[in-house]
Amino acid sequence: MRTAPTGCLSLLMFGLVLALPFVLANAVLTALTKLGLSPLSALGVALGIFVGGAVNVPVARIEQVERVEYQPTRLLGLHRLLGRPVRHRAYTVIAVNVGGCLVPTALAGYQIGRIALQAPSTLFALGAALVLNVGLCYSFATPVPQQGIAMQPLIPAGAAALSGLVLAPAWVPPVAFAAGVLGPLIGADLLHLGDIADIGTGMASIGGAGTFDGVVLSGLVATLLVPGAL
C-alpha cells in the first residue's frame, strides 16, 4: 500500500504552499530592516509594495498605427478579481506601478540621501554600481510582443550585490538596494520606452503590474545577498 506516503507528501506540499507567503513576507522585512528602517517602518513599506503593486497610475500615451488590446480593469489590478475583459484602442498607455516603481524608488532615494549625509565619499561607488547595473539591464532587457519589457531580475540583483561588496564594503545594503532598484528601472524600463510602440500592447507599466516584478525583486534580493545592516 502506498496511500500513506502519498498522503504525507500531499500534506507536506500543502503546508509548504501555506507557509510560502509568510516566508516571502519575512524575507521582505529582513531586507528592509537591513536598510536602517525600524520594524514599523519596514512593515509600512512592505505593505506599500504589496498593496501598491495592484495600482498603475497612467502618465502618458503613445499613439499606435493599429488598434491594440487592453484590459480596462488592469489600472487598479481588478482584472485578478473581475476577469480579463479585452477591448481595443488606438494608443498605448504608459503607467507607473505604485508598489513596483514609486515605493521602491522613494526608498532608494532615501538610501541615497543617507549615504550623501553620512558617507558622501561613497557616492562615487554608488554611481559606479548604478551605471554598471543600468548598462546590464539595458543589454539584457527584451521587448516581448503583447506584454512589455522582460528581463531576468536575478541579473541586476546579483550585479548590484557584487558591486556593493566590491565598491562600498562599509555601505553594502543601501548601495546594493539603490543600484538594484534604479538599474532595472532606468536600464530596462525608461531606456526602452522607445520600443513600446512596436510591442503592440494596450498598457505598459513601469515597475510592472505585480508586486515581485523586476524592480522590486532585484532591489530586495540584492539587499538579502549582502551581510550586515546600516
Side-chain angles (χ1 to χ4, degrees), residues 63 67 78 114 148 213 217 222-223:
E63 299 297 328
R67 298 180 68 82
L78 298 178
R114 289 179 62 213
D213 91 301
L217 184 59
T223 306

Side-chain angles (χ1 to χ4, degrees), residues 105-127:
T105 299
L107 183 55
Y110 170 69
Q111 298 304 314
I112 294 173
R114 289 179 62 213
I115 294 174
L117 291 175
Q118 301 179 33
S121 60
T122 307
L123 288 175
F124 177 80
L126 172 60

Side-chain angles (χ1 to χ4, degrees), residues 62-69 88-92 197 200-201:
I62 298 176
E63 299 297 328
Q64 297 281 3
V65 177
E66 299 180 356
R67 298 180 68 82
V68 294
E69 295 183 352
H88 296 80
R89 60 186 172 200
Y91 58 89
T92 295
T201 181

Side-chain angles (χ1 to χ4, degrees), residues 35-127:
L35 299 175
L37 300 180
S38 67
L40 185 59
S41 298
L43 179 60
V45 172
L47 288 176
I49 291 174
F50 278 104
V51 177
V55 181
N56 293 292
V57 181
V59 294
R61 65 169 63 180
I62 298 176
E63 299 297 328
Q64 297 281 3
V65 177
E66 299 180 356
R67 298 180 68 82
V68 294
E69 295 183 352
Y70 79 105
Q71 297 171 7
T73 57
R74 189 180 172 192
L75 282 177
L76 295 177
L78 298 178
H79 61 285
R80 298 180 178 87
L81 299 175
L82 304 180
R84 299 171 178 259
V86 175
R87 299 181 183 177
H88 296 80
R89 60 186 172 200
Y91 58 89
T92 295
V93 171
I94 305 297
V96 291
N97 186 264
V98 175
C101 177
L102 298 184
V103 174
T105 299
L107 183 55
Y110 170 69
Q111 298 304 314
I112 294 173
R114 289 179 62 213
I115 294 174
L117 291 175
Q118 301 179 33
S121 60
T122 307
L123 288 175
F124 177 80
L126 172 60

